[in-house]
Amino acid sequence: MPIYNAPTRDLQFVLQDVLKLPETGLPGHDELDRDFTEAVLDAAGKLASEVLAPLNIVGDSQGCRLENGVVRTPEGFKAAFEAMKEGGWTALDCDPDYGGQGMPYVLGAATGEIFVAANIAFNMYQGLTHGAYSAIHAHGTDAQKQTYLPKMVSCDWTGTMNLTEPHCGTDLGLLRTKAEPQQDGSYLISGQKIFISAGDHDMAENIIHLVLAKAPGGGEGTKGISLFIVPKFLVNEDGTLGERNAVSVGNIEHKMGIHGNSTCVMNFDGAKGWLLGDLHKGMRAMFTMMNEARLGVATQGYSCAVAAYQNAAAYARERLQGRAATGAANPSGPADPLIVHPDIRRSLMDQKSFIEGARALALWGAHLIDRSHQGDAEADGLISLLTPVLKGFLTDKGFDSAVQAQQVFGGHGYIEEHGMSQFVRDARITMIYEGANGVQALDLVGRKLAADGGRHVMAFFEMIKTFCRQHADDAALAADFITPLKAASKDLQSAAMFFMERAARNPDDALSGSYDFMHLFGQVAIGYMWARMAVAARQALDAGTSDAAFFETKLTTGRYYMKRQLPMTATHLVRIQSGAEPVMALSAEAF
Amino acid sequence: MPIYNAPTRDLQFVLQDVLKLPETGLPGHDELDRDFTEAVLDAAGKLASEVLAPLNIVGDSQGCRLENGVVRTPEGFKAAFEAMKEGGWTALDCDPDYGGQGMPYVLGAATGEIFVAANIAFNMYQGLTHGAYSAIHAHGTDAQKQTYLPKMVSCDWTGTMNLTEPHCGTDLGLLRTKAEPQQDGSYLISGQKIFISAGDHDMAENIIHLVLAKAPGGGEGTKGISLFIVPKFLVNEDGTLGERNAVSVGNIEHKMGIHGNSTCVMNFDGAKGWLLGDLHKGMRAMFTMMNEARLGVATQGYSCAVAAYQNAAAYARERLQGRAATGAANPSGPADPLIVHPDIRRSLMDQKSFIEGARALALWGAHLIDRSHQGDAEADGLISLLTPVLKGFLTDKGFDSAVQAQQVFGGHGYIEEHGMSQFVRDARITMIYEGANGVQALDLVGRKLAADGGRHVMAFFEMIKTFCRQHADDAALAADFITPLKAASKDLQSAAMFFMERAARNPDDALSGSYDFMHLFGQVAIGYMWARMAVAARQALDAGTSDAAFFETKLTTGRYYMKRQLPMTATHLVRIQSGAEPVMALSAEAF
C-alpha cells in the first residue's frame, strides 16, 4: 500500500516564508497567519492520509461501473465524499454569499495539492464542481446563482464541463450539439458529448452539466456557441428536485488511469437547459471555467509526482541492494540501501527539486489569481501569461517525475501492487485534458506572448531583472542562484526575440518552437521560484531559525536545480532557433 | 484497432545501403543480397500484420489467467505461436546443427523489430526461448545440447530466465535459492523466483527454466552462484517427456502492461535440475543470456515506438481539427488535418528521427554481434561497450516516443480503445527489465568505459574521427551532419575525460553523471548513424536512384535529428561536469 504524508512544512514554507501571505497579502484575509494556515493544512493532511489515500488503489482496481444507467463509484468513495463535505473542504474558497468560507484561492490550491496527491481520481468530483461553480458565479443571473451555487458549494450537487464531441476536442467550432429555444426561455439540448469527467455517479443528489451547444442565429465556428446549464434532475421553484432531465450516460470509457473517476459519454436528447451568460458568447463563459481548470490540472501534474516521490524515497531508504562505491554504508546488513547509489540520488534529487519548485510556482500562480480577483491588473496579466506554462510544463514534468519514481522500484514498480504504476497512469491524463499540452504551447506563443502588445512577458522579464539586481551583491546567493537565473532568463528573452523577428514573416517559425518555448519558460519560472526560495531560506538562517536543517536542505535542493535542471534552457533555445524549416520540410505523405 | 505495417523499405535501407550486408559482410552469408533480405522481411511483415498485430490489443485486454496451476494465454495466441513456428521464424538465426537456419543475428534483429512492434508480449515467449537457447548453446554439454536445443529451436519447448527473488533483483549476490547435489549428478533446486516472463503457459509441450541458485561450497555473494537447467517436465533418455518436475506457478503478476505475457512467481520445491556450465560460475553463463537479452530489449524499446508512431502519423493525417496558421490547407473540409500544425509535426519528426536512428543503431549493434561471433575482437569490444547504451537509451527514448505518439491522439490516446495507451504501458517495461536503466548506466561508466584500459571507447572515438575526416570535404553533408557530429562527439569525449580525472579520487563523481553519460553516448551514437545514413542516401541520389523521394526524406529526417535532438549533448555535459556534490549533498533523511 503506497504511503502519503502531507508535506505541511514545505507548503507552509511557500505560503509563509516565500509568498509571505499575511504581509503582502490579500485585503480581507488578515487571518492567514502561520498558525492558521498550518491548522488548515494539518486538517487537510489528516483527511488525505487517513481517508483519501487508502482509497486511491481501490479506486484504480475497482474502477467505476455503469449499472442500469447509473454510474457506481468504487467502494468507500461515497463515505469519503461525505467526509470531505462535512469537513467543509468543498466550500473553502467559495463565496460566503452562497455558503462558502471565503478563503483565498491560494489556500484552496495548497489543500488541493494534498487532496490530489492522496487521490486524484476522487478529488476530480469536487474539482469539476468548483469549475462549474466559478462559471455560474461569474456569468449566472442572480436567480441561477441562488438556485445552484449553495448546493454546489456544499457538493450536494456536483458539476461537469461538456465540451468535447467525438469529432472535435480542441476545435470547438466544429461542434454539433444543438440548442433549440423554447417559449419559456429555456432550450432543448440535443447531441453527444464524450470524455465527460464525473459525468455521472452516485455521490450527489444532482449533477449540474454545463454544456456548450449551438443555438440558432449564431455565426460560424466558435462564434455560434453558447453555454447552457443542464441539470440531471430539473429543479423546482422551491429548490426541490423535480423530474429527470433527458440526459443520460451512453457509456463509461476504459482508460489508462484515473479509474476512480467516471469518464462518461453523455447523451443529450432534447434535455432542458438554460442559457448561462450571453447568447453566442459561450466560449467566454467557458474560459472562466477552463482557466481555473488549467491551473487545477497544473496542480494535479506535480501533485501526482509528490505522492510518487514520497514512495520512491521511502523505498530507496529501505530496499537493500548493492554496496556504495565508496565503501559499505550498512556493513552489518546484507547490502546497502538503494539511496547510497549516486544514480538513485540523482533520480530522487531530480524529483525533489522539481516538485518543490513546481509547488512554489503553482502557489505563486494561485496567489496571482487572488490578486487578480481583487483587481490587480498586473497580476491578472501575469497569470494569464503563466497559465499555459503551468499547465503544460508542470504536467509534462510531473509525469516524467512519476516515471522516475516508478523506476526506483525496479520490477516492483511495474506490477500494480505497490501503486507506482497507478501514479504514472494517473499523471498521464494531466498532459492531455483541459487542452493538450501542445495546445497550451500554441496558446502561449500564438496568443499570450503578444497579448496587450507583449506587456505581460515584458513585466515578467522586468520582475526577474529587478530581483536579480536586488540580490546581485548577496555573496551567499549570487553564484549559485542569481547567475544561473540570469543566464536562463536571457535564453528565454532570446527565444521571445526570435519569435518576434520571425513570426510576422512566417508564423510557423514561432509555432515550431512553441513546445520548447513552453518548457524554456517553465524552467525559468521554476528557476525564479528557487531563487526566491533561496532568499527566504537565507533570511530564516540569518535570523537564527531553530530549524536550520530544513532551510539548509532547501538551499541544497535549489542549488541542484540551478546546476542540473536549469541548463536545459540552452538546448531549448537552440531548438527554437532552428526555426520552422526542419519541422515543416517533409510532405504529409512522407510520415 | 491500431494499424501496423512492417517498414520493410526502411529496414532494407539499413541492411543493404548502410550496413551493406552482402559486401562488408559475414563470411558464410553470401546469400544476404537485396532480394533475399527483402523476401525475408516481407514474409515477416505479412505474419506480423495479419496474425500478430490483431492479437496485440486482445492480449492486453484479456491478459493471462492462472487456472488450476496452469497459465492460459489470451485467445488466439496458441494458433499464432503455431504459425510462427511453422514459418520457421523461431529457428531463423539458430545453429543448423540443431535445426536452425543459420541466418545471421542481424537478420534476426530486423525481423525481431517487426514481430515486437506487432505484438511485444507475444514475441517474448520466443525471445526468452532464444536467450535460453543461446546460454545452453554456449555453455551446455553435448548431451544437454542434443537434448534441449532442437526442441527449443523449434519452440516446441520454450525457455525462461530465473534470476530475481523477492528481496533481490540487481544484487544477485543476495539470492537464496538453493541447489542440493544428488548422487546421480543432478541437483534439487528449492526457492522462489519472481517476475519470470513466460514462466508458464499453454503454448509449448515443455518449458526449460534456467535458474540461478547457490550450490554448497561456493563463495559469498555472486561467486557462489551456479546456473541450472530445470525442465517443467523431466526429459527421458529417449527424448520423450517424463514426469512433472517440482516447479510450479505461485501466482501471475498484475502488471502495467505486456498483459499477454505471463509474468510468474515460480516456486521450486526440490525440483530436479542439472548444472549448466561450470559450478559456481553461473553469473558468467547467465551473462551470455543477459547480454543478448539486453540487445533484445533495446529492440523492444524502439519497436514499441515504431508501432505507436505509425498510428500517430495516420491519425495526424486523418483527424480534422483547426486550421493551419499559414492559411487553410483543406479549404473544402470543415478543418485541416492535424498534420498541418507545426507542433504536431515537431512531435512526429521527433518520433520519426529517433525511430529511424534507433533502428540503424540496433541493427549496427546486431551486425557487430555477428562479427564478434566470427572472431572479430574489435567488434566484440565495441558491442560490449554499446550494449548498455543501446539498452538504456533506446528504451528510455522509445518510451518517450510512444508517449509523444499517444499525445497526438489527445483524449483518444488515453482511452484503451485506440491501443495508444497499450504501446506506452508495454514500452514502460523495457526501461526496467534485464537490468533497470540506472544499472545499465552503472555498467557503462563503472565497467565498460574502463574495460581493457579504455580501448573500446577510444576505438569508438577514433571511428567517428575517421568518419568525419573522410567526409569533411563533402559539401552536401559537412555542415548538416559532420559538424554537429563532431561537436557532439567532443562533448562525449569531454565527459569521459571528466570521469577519468575524477573517478580515482571519488567514484561518485563518475557515478553521479552515469545516467547523463549513457544518454549523451546514445545521442552521439544515433548522430553517427544518421551521418552514415546521410552518406548512404547521398550515394544513392548521386547514383541516380529511381526512388529519389525516399532518400531525400532520409536526408531531411537526419537533418532534423542533427539540428533538434543532438544539441542535447551540451546539457548532458553540463550536468555531468557538475559532479557528485549536488547529487550527494543531502542526508538520506532529508528526502
Side-chain angles (χ1 to χ4, degrees), chain A residues 177-181 187 213-226 228 278-281:
Chain A
T177 297
K178 292 222 165 337
E180 209 182 317
Y187 289 77
K214 286 191 170 170
E220 282 298 298
T222 54
K223 285 191 286 290
I225 294 175
S226 306
F228 297 90
D278 296 333
L279 187 67
H280 307 319
K281 295 203 171 141

Coordinates of all heavy atoms in Angstrom, one line a residue, chain A residues 177-181 187 213-226 228 278-281:
Chain A
T177 N -23.6 19.8 -31.2 CA -24.7 19.8 -30.2 C -25.6 21.0 -30.4 O -25.1 22.1 -30.5 CB -24.2 19.7 -28.8 OG1 -23.5 18.5 -28.7 CG2 -25.3 19.7 -27.7
K178 N -26.9 20.8 -30.5 CA -27.8 21.9 -30.8 C -28.6 22.3 -29.6 O -29.0 21.5 -28.7 CB -28.8 21.4 -31.9 CG -28.2 21.2 -33.2 CD -29.0 21.8 -34.4 CE -28.3 21.9 -35.7 NZ -26.8 21.9 -35.6
A179 N -29.0 23.6 -29.6 CA -29.8 24.2 -28.5 C -31.0 24.8 -29.2 O -30.8 25.8 -30.0 CB -29.1 25.2 -27.7
E180 N -32.2 24.3 -28.9 CA -33.4 24.9 -29.6 C -34.2 25.7 -28.6 O -34.6 25.2 -27.6 CB -34.2 23.7 -30.0 CG -35.1 23.8 -31.3 CD -35.9 22.6 -31.5 OE1 -35.3 21.5 -31.4 OE2 -37.1 22.7 -31.8
P181 N -34.4 27.0 -28.9 CA -35.1 27.9 -27.9 C -36.6 27.5 -27.8 O -37.2 27.1 -28.8 CB -35.0 29.3 -28.6 CG -34.6 29.1 -30.0 CD -34.0 27.7 -30.1
Y187 N -34.1 26.1 -23.3 CA -33.6 25.5 -24.6 C -33.7 24.0 -24.5 O -33.6 23.4 -23.4 CB -32.2 25.9 -24.9 CG -32.0 27.3 -25.2 CD1 -32.0 28.3 -24.3 CD2 -31.8 27.7 -26.6 CE1 -31.9 29.7 -24.6 CE2 -31.6 29.1 -26.9 CZ -31.7 30.0 -25.9 OH -31.5 31.3 -26.2
A213 N -23.2 24.4 -26.7 CA -24.0 24.0 -27.8 C -24.3 25.2 -28.8 O -24.0 26.3 -28.4 CB -25.4 23.4 -27.3
K214 N -24.8 24.8 -29.9 CA -25.1 25.9 -30.9 C -26.6 26.2 -30.9 O -27.4 25.4 -31.2 CB -24.6 25.5 -32.3 CG -23.1 25.5 -32.4 CD -22.6 25.4 -33.9 CE -21.1 25.6 -34.0 NZ -20.6 25.3 -35.3
A215 N -26.9 27.5 -30.6 CA -28.2 27.9 -30.7 C -28.4 28.6 -32.1 O -27.4 29.1 -32.7 CB -28.5 28.9 -29.6
P216 N -29.6 28.7 -32.6 CA -29.8 29.3 -33.9 C -29.4 30.8 -33.9 O -29.5 31.5 -32.9 CB -31.3 29.2 -34.1 CG -31.8 28.2 -33.2 CD -30.9 28.2 -32.0
G217 N -28.9 31.2 -35.1 CA -28.6 32.7 -35.3 C -27.2 33.1 -34.9 O -26.8 34.2 -35.1
G218 N -26.4 32.1 -34.4 CA -25.0 32.4 -34.1 C -24.2 32.3 -35.4 O -24.7 31.9 -36.4
G219 N -23.0 32.8 -35.4 CA -22.1 32.8 -36.5 C -21.5 31.4 -36.7 O -21.9 30.4 -36.0
E220 N -20.7 31.3 -37.7 CA -19.9 30.0 -37.9 C -18.9 29.8 -36.8 O -18.5 30.8 -36.1 CB -19.2 30.1 -39.3 CG -20.1 29.9 -40.5 CD -20.7 28.5 -40.5 OE1 -20.0 27.5 -40.5 OE2 -22.0 28.4 -40.4
G221 N -18.5 28.6 -36.7 CA -17.3 28.3 -35.8 C -17.7 28.6 -34.3 O -18.8 28.5 -33.9
T222 N -16.6 29.0 -33.6 CA -16.8 29.2 -32.2 C -17.8 30.4 -31.9 O -18.3 30.5 -30.8 CB -15.5 29.5 -31.4 OG1 -14.8 30.5 -32.1 CG2 -14.6 28.2 -31.5
K223 N -18.0 31.3 -32.8 CA -18.8 32.4 -32.6 C -20.3 32.0 -32.3 O -21.0 32.8 -31.7 CB -18.7 33.4 -33.8 CG -17.4 34.2 -33.8 CD -17.4 35.3 -34.8 CE -17.3 34.8 -36.2 NZ -16.0 34.3 -36.6
G224 N -20.7 30.9 -32.8 CA -22.1 30.5 -32.7 C -22.4 29.7 -31.4 O -23.4 29.1 -31.3
I225 N -21.4 29.6 -30.5 CA -21.5 28.7 -29.4 C -22.0 29.4 -28.1 O -21.6 30.5 -27.8 CB -20.1 28.1 -29.1 CG1 -19.7 27.2 -30.3 CG2 -20.2 27.3 -27.8 CD1 -18.4 26.6 -30.2
S226 N -22.9 28.7 -27.5 CA -23.4 29.3 -26.2 C -23.2 28.2 -25.1 O -23.1 27.0 -25.4 CB -24.9 29.6 -26.3 OG -25.1 30.5 -27.4
F228 N -24.8 26.4 -21.7 CA -26.1 26.1 -21.0 C -25.9 25.3 -19.7 O -25.0 24.5 -19.6 CB -27.0 25.3 -22.0 CG -27.3 26.0 -23.3 CD1 -26.5 25.9 -24.4 CD2 -28.4 26.9 -23.3 CE1 -26.7 26.6 -25.5 CE2 -28.7 27.6 -24.5 CZ -27.8 27.5 -25.6
D278 N -24.1 35.3 -21.9 CA -24.8 35.8 -23.1 C -24.9 34.8 -24.2 O -24.0 33.9 -24.4 CB -23.9 37.0 -23.6 CG -23.9 38.1 -22.6 OD1 -24.9 38.2 -21.8 OD2 -22.9 38.9 -22.6
L279 N -26.0 34.9 -25.0 CA -26.2 34.1 -26.2 C -25.0 34.3 -27.1 O -24.5 35.4 -27.4 CB -27.5 34.5 -26.8 CG -27.9 33.5 -28.0 CD1 -28.3 32.1 -27.5 CD2 -29.2 34.2 -28.7
H280 N -24.6 33.1 -27.7 CA -23.5 33.1 -28.7 C -22.1 33.6 -28.1 O -21.2 33.8 -28.8 CB -23.8 34.0 -29.9 CG -25.1 33.6 -30.5 ND1 -25.5 32.3 -30.7 CD2 -26.1 34.4 -31.0 CE1 -26.7 32.3 -31.3 NE2 -27.1 33.5 -31.5
K281 N -22.1 33.7 -26.8 CA -20.8 34.1 -26.2 C -20.3 33.0 -25.2 O -19.8 33.3 -24.1 CB -20.9 35.4 -25.5 CG -21.1 36.5 -26.6 CD -20.6 37.9 -26.1 CE -20.7 38.8 -27.3 NZ -21.2 40.2 -27.0

